[in-house]
Amino acid sequence: MILTVASGKGGTGKTTVTVNLAAIAADKGIQVFDCDVEEPNSHIFLKPENITSREIGTMVPVVDKDRCSLCGECEKICQFSAIALIAGRIMTFPDMCHSCQGCVMVCPEDAIISGSRVLGTLKTGTTPGGVDLTWGELRIGEAMSPPLIKQVKKRIDPLKLSIVDAPPGTSCPAIETLRDSDLALLVSEPTPFGLNDLALTVEVLKKLNVPMGIVINRADTEDTQTGLLDEYAHREGIDIMQRFPFSREAAMICSRGEMLVDKMPEMKALFQELYGKIALKLDTIKNREDRP
Amino acid sequence: MKELTIISGKGGTGKTSVTASLATLAPSRVVIDADVDAANLFLTLPHEVLETIPFEGGHKARIDQSLCIQCGECVDRCCFDAVTKSPGQKSPGQDAQDFVEEYLIDPVSCEGCKVCVHFCPADAITFERQICGEKYISKTDNGPMIHARLGIAEENSGLLVSQLREQARKMAKDHDIPLIITDGPPGIGCPVIASVSNADAVLIVTEPTHSGIHDMVRVKKLADQMNAAVYLCVNKADLNPDMTLNIKKFCSENAIQFAGEIPFDRDVIESMKMGQSLVQFSRGPAALAVEKVWQNVSEYMKKTMNRLL
């Protein structure tokens, strides 16, 4: 089963929720995946050991000039301006390439062979508590994160519970991460920005057919914004699965890269309660899927 | 004309709040919200939408079932696993065993590469440009605001950002506006690269946390690759004063112009709730600190060379 922690807005506490849930469920044989490959942070908190690192590349065209007849078919099919006939020779622009292989397939002279562009690194490690963490690190200057996210997700073992830390936003990287999740946990904050972006993410998840639950971070019962979030969740029929109160101490602990469940017993209790609710919800979803 | 882009790496550090205040303090500017898939600037900057323009994004392939001969060529050719076989629709009067298989292209997976269109022997695949959202030109007190809304689960955010910046440059030229301020998205990927490319300078808004610093270092490297001058301010600086000191040290060692520190202040959220920028709403410690950041940034901008003639 795949639980994805997402938000829309950045900085609402996705990584905090991911890593602390992971610590609570450490003895359940879970895996953690950080799909925020542009700015991965889970490893800062989980402190994995025995780290392995592997470079991930994507196909880009390389032209064999001796075979090329300058027919220009490759330029015609390429939708991304990654290959072009310029001043009597074929030029490639590897950064623009989407690795569709169109030019390779269309070349009548078999003059295009597969080269590679580095997307980033795929890293794995195991936390002192025994949790396997896999994360991606996008090469700085690389524009396309979804293919690297795909590589991170390839290591998901469907028989285990996987907790996935999603990137912010509602576009390609978030969608690549969220698709085929069994449950999305939306971490929201009670601010106008938080509510606006939560609603956008909910629309994306409806389109992707992913069930969801909401966690309110930095909740403040005195505040009208928390009330607005409650109203919104009620209107949409989405469960509010936990509320984490605003706490300067918690912010301080997170700023040092430390775990709330280790330092604040009251937070640990809230995470335990949240994990219990998630496990129940995932069971219900699984039973529904297993039914013929 | 000079271009300043606000970035952070990590999300939620305060890019939009800082941008809204700078856009209020700058006497004449065009401001862009380039965080197109989670746009928030319009919530905190009073404005009036003057023009709505459809955003034409990339192409998507679609199979015309009446022409499809079920050969499966498209499945074999697609590198994005976007084509799937489904049992198809039952026509009236048909028995269950007569279900016709259908090849379908998942629009979310389709990369718009046209390979299937090219190789389909029955010419059964159409390739149409998609409307992927809306662009807006709005009026605010100190100049135009260019923003957008990317459609639900749509792609091409980088292309949309490039189009917004093109629009902003045109308006700046036409109305003789000396500054373009761009509120960038989090991360370092496609829309961030589109927000930073050809900017004269970036202002990194970071926070004194391990994650904030980790992400700031990565986004600083990106700005260096793109030859933008780098300024930095620390938001919620009093949350962890030791880390704020470390950040200042990093700045002086890495040729980053330090633009100031902003303390944690409830007024930031209060101003957001009022739909105003912080400096418009408050005279509190955070508002005063942002004013100082603006003074520094405009000083630095004056000294930064013009990039494009």
PDB file of all heavy atoms in Angstrom, chain A residues 147-158:
ATOM      1  N   PRO A 147      10.964  12.039 -14.631  1.00  0.00           N
ATOM      2  CA  PRO A 147      11.626  10.752 -14.895  1.00  0.00           C
ATOM      3  C   PRO A 147      12.445  10.242 -13.706  1.00  0.00           C
ATOM      4  O   PRO A 147      12.530   9.025 -13.490  1.00  0.00           O
ATOM      5  CB  PRO A 147      12.543  11.030 -16.083  1.00  0.00           C
ATOM      6  CG  PRO A 147      12.244  12.396 -16.567  1.00  0.00           C
ATOM      7  CD  PRO A 147      11.344  13.075 -15.599  1.00  0.00           C
ATOM      8  N   LEU A 148      13.028  11.147 -12.925  1.00  0.00           N
ATOM      9  CA  LEU A 148      13.786  10.717 -11.737  1.00  0.00           C
ATOM     10  C   LEU A 148      12.819  10.224 -10.647  1.00  0.00           C
ATOM     11  O   LEU A 148      13.084   9.243  -9.955  1.00  0.00           O
ATOM     12  CB  LEU A 148      14.660  11.866 -11.215  1.00  0.00           C
ATOM     13  CG  LEU A 148      15.551  11.535 -10.015  1.00  0.00           C
ATOM     14  CD1 LEU A 148      16.492  10.370 -10.305  1.00  0.00           C
ATOM     15  CD2 LEU A 148      16.382  12.753  -9.598  1.00  0.00           C
ATOM     16  N   ILE A 149      11.677  10.914 -10.515  1.00  0.00           N
ATOM     17  CA  ILE A 149      10.652  10.485  -9.553  1.00  0.00           C
ATOM     18  C   ILE A 149      10.189   9.065  -9.889  1.00  0.00           C
ATOM     19  O   ILE A 149      10.024   8.220  -9.010  1.00  0.00           O
ATOM     20  CB  ILE A 149       9.464  11.482  -9.550  1.00  0.00           C
ATOM     21  CG1 ILE A 149       9.925  12.835  -9.007  1.00  0.00           C
ATOM     22  CG2 ILE A 149       8.287  10.941  -8.747  1.00  0.00           C
ATOM     23  CD1 ILE A 149       8.914  13.953  -9.155  1.00  0.00           C
ATOM     24  N   LYS A 150      10.015   8.794 -11.203  1.00  0.00           N
ATOM     25  CA  LYS A 150       9.635   7.448 -11.648  1.00  0.00           C
ATOM     26  C   LYS A 150      10.641   6.415 -11.159  1.00  0.00           C
ATOM     27  O   LYS A 150      10.265   5.333 -10.710  1.00  0.00           O
ATOM     28  CB  LYS A 150       9.592   7.415 -13.183  1.00  0.00           C
ATOM     29  CG  LYS A 150       8.193   7.296 -13.733  1.00  0.00           C
ATOM     30  CD  LYS A 150       8.199   7.164 -15.252  1.00  0.00           C
ATOM     31  CE  LYS A 150       6.952   7.848 -15.786  1.00  0.00           C
ATOM     32  NZ  LYS A 150       6.959   8.114 -17.196  1.00  0.00           N
ATOM     33  N   GLN A 151      11.920   6.750 -11.251  1.00  0.00           N
ATOM     34  CA  GLN A 151      12.967   5.818 -10.820  1.00  0.00           C
ATOM     35  C   GLN A 151      12.901   5.573  -9.313  1.00  0.00           C
ATOM     36  O   GLN A 151      13.106   4.464  -8.852  1.00  0.00           O
ATOM     37  CB  GLN A 151      14.355   6.356 -11.198  1.00  0.00           C
ATOM     38  CG  GLN A 151      14.608   6.386 -12.689  1.00  0.00           C
ATOM     39  CD  GLN A 151      14.652   4.997 -13.297  1.00  0.00           C
ATOM     40  OE1 GLN A 151      15.132   4.062 -12.683  1.00  0.00           O
ATOM     41  NE2 GLN A 151      14.101   4.865 -14.498  1.00  0.00           N
ATOM     42  N   VAL A 152      12.630   6.640  -8.547  1.00  0.00           N
ATOM     43  CA  VAL A 152      12.488   6.478  -7.089  1.00  0.00           C
ATOM     44  C   VAL A 152      11.323   5.534  -6.797  1.00  0.00           C
ATOM     45  O   VAL A 152      11.439   4.596  -6.004  1.00  0.00           O
ATOM     46  CB  VAL A 152      12.265   7.841  -6.398  1.00  0.00           C
ATOM     47  CG1 VAL A 152      11.985   7.658  -4.909  1.00  0.00           C
ATOM     48  CG2 VAL A 152      13.473   8.762  -6.600  1.00  0.00           C
ATOM     49  N   LYS A 153      10.202   5.762  -7.483  1.00  0.00           N
ATOM     50  CA  LYS A 153       8.992   4.975  -7.206  1.00  0.00           C
ATOM     51  C   LYS A 153       9.114   3.523  -7.667  1.00  0.00           C
ATOM     52  O   LYS A 153       8.387   2.657  -7.190  1.00  0.00           O
ATOM     53  CB  LYS A 153       7.778   5.636  -7.865  1.00  0.00           C
ATOM     54  CG  LYS A 153       7.326   6.896  -7.127  1.00  0.00           C
ATOM     55  CD  LYS A 153       6.119   7.526  -7.776  1.00  0.00           C
ATOM     56  CE  LYS A 153       4.846   6.740  -7.537  1.00  0.00           C
ATOM     57  NZ  LYS A 153       3.691   7.358  -8.236  1.00  0.00           N
ATOM     58  N   LYS A 154      10.020   3.264  -8.610  1.00  0.00           N
ATOM     59  CA  LYS A 154      10.233   1.889  -9.088  1.00  0.00           C
ATOM     60  C   LYS A 154      10.647   0.955  -7.961  1.00  0.00           C
ATOM     61  O   LYS A 154      10.470  -0.246  -8.040  1.00  0.00           O
ATOM     62  CB  LYS A 154      11.325   1.873 -10.162  1.00  0.00           C
ATOM     63  CG  LYS A 154      10.771   1.825 -11.568  1.00  0.00           C
ATOM     64  CD  LYS A 154      11.842   1.466 -12.564  1.00  0.00           C
ATOM     65  CE  LYS A 154      11.259   1.581 -13.967  1.00  0.00           C
ATOM     66  NZ  LYS A 154      12.306   1.742 -14.964  1.00  0.00           N
ATOM     67  N   ARG A 155      11.242   1.509  -6.903  1.00  0.00           N
ATOM     68  CA  ARG A 155      11.748   0.672  -5.815  1.00  0.00           C
ATOM     69  C   ARG A 155      10.688   0.364  -4.765  1.00  0.00           C
ATOM     70  O   ARG A 155      10.969  -0.254  -3.756  1.00  0.00           O
ATOM     71  CB  ARG A 155      12.968   1.342  -5.180  1.00  0.00           C
ATOM     72  CG  ARG A 155      14.079   1.581  -6.200  1.00  0.00           C
ATOM     73  CD  ARG A 155      15.292   2.160  -5.545  1.00  0.00           C
ATOM     74  NE  ARG A 155      15.836   1.254  -4.550  1.00  0.00           N
ATOM     75  CZ  ARG A 155      16.908   0.478  -4.742  1.00  0.00           C
ATOM     76  NH1 ARG A 155      17.522   0.508  -5.881  1.00  0.00           N
ATOM     77  NH2 ARG A 155      17.331  -0.305  -3.785  1.00  0.00           N
ATOM     78  N   ILE A 156       9.454   0.847  -5.000  1.00  0.00           N
ATOM     79  CA  ILE A 156       8.371   0.560  -4.050  1.00  0.00           C
ATOM     80  C   ILE A 156       8.030  -0.930  -4.085  1.00  0.00           C
ATOM     81  O   ILE A 156       7.808  -1.498  -5.147  1.00  0.00           O
ATOM     82  CB  ILE A 156       7.119   1.410  -4.395  1.00  0.00           C
ATOM     83  CG1 ILE A 156       7.394   2.890  -4.094  1.00  0.00           C
ATOM     84  CG2 ILE A 156       5.888   0.902  -3.648  1.00  0.00           C
ATOM     85  CD1 ILE A 156       6.246   3.823  -4.427  1.00  0.00           C
ATOM     86  N   ASP A 157       8.021  -1.556  -2.922  1.00  0.00           N
ATOM     87  CA  ASP A 157       7.615  -2.953  -2.799  1.00  0.00           C
ATOM     88  C   ASP A 157       6.119  -2.969  -2.486  1.00  0.00           C
ATOM     89  O   ASP A 157       5.704  -2.545  -1.411  1.00  0.00           O
ATOM     90  CB  ASP A 157       8.421  -3.606  -1.660  1.00  0.00           C
ATOM     91  CG  ASP A 157       8.022  -5.058  -1.433  1.00  0.00           C
ATOM     92  OD1 ASP A 157       6.985  -5.490  -1.982  1.00  0.00           O
ATOM     93  OD2 ASP A 157       8.749  -5.743  -0.696  1.00  0.00           O
ATOM     94  N   PRO A 158       5.288  -3.472  -3.419  1.00  0.00           N
ATOM     95  CA  PRO A 158       3.831  -3.374  -3.228  1.00  0.00           C
ATOM     96  C   PRO A 158       3.329  -4.164  -2.019  1.00  0.00           C
ATOM     97  O   PRO A 158       2.221  -3.924  -1.550  1.00  0.00           O
ATOM     98  CB  PRO A 158       3.258  -3.933  -4.540  1.00  0.00           C
ATOM     99  CG  PRO A 158       4.374  -4.666  -5.196  1.00  0.00           C
ATOM    100  CD  PRO A 158       5.659  -4.099  -4.687  1.00  0.00           C
TER     101      PRO A 158
END
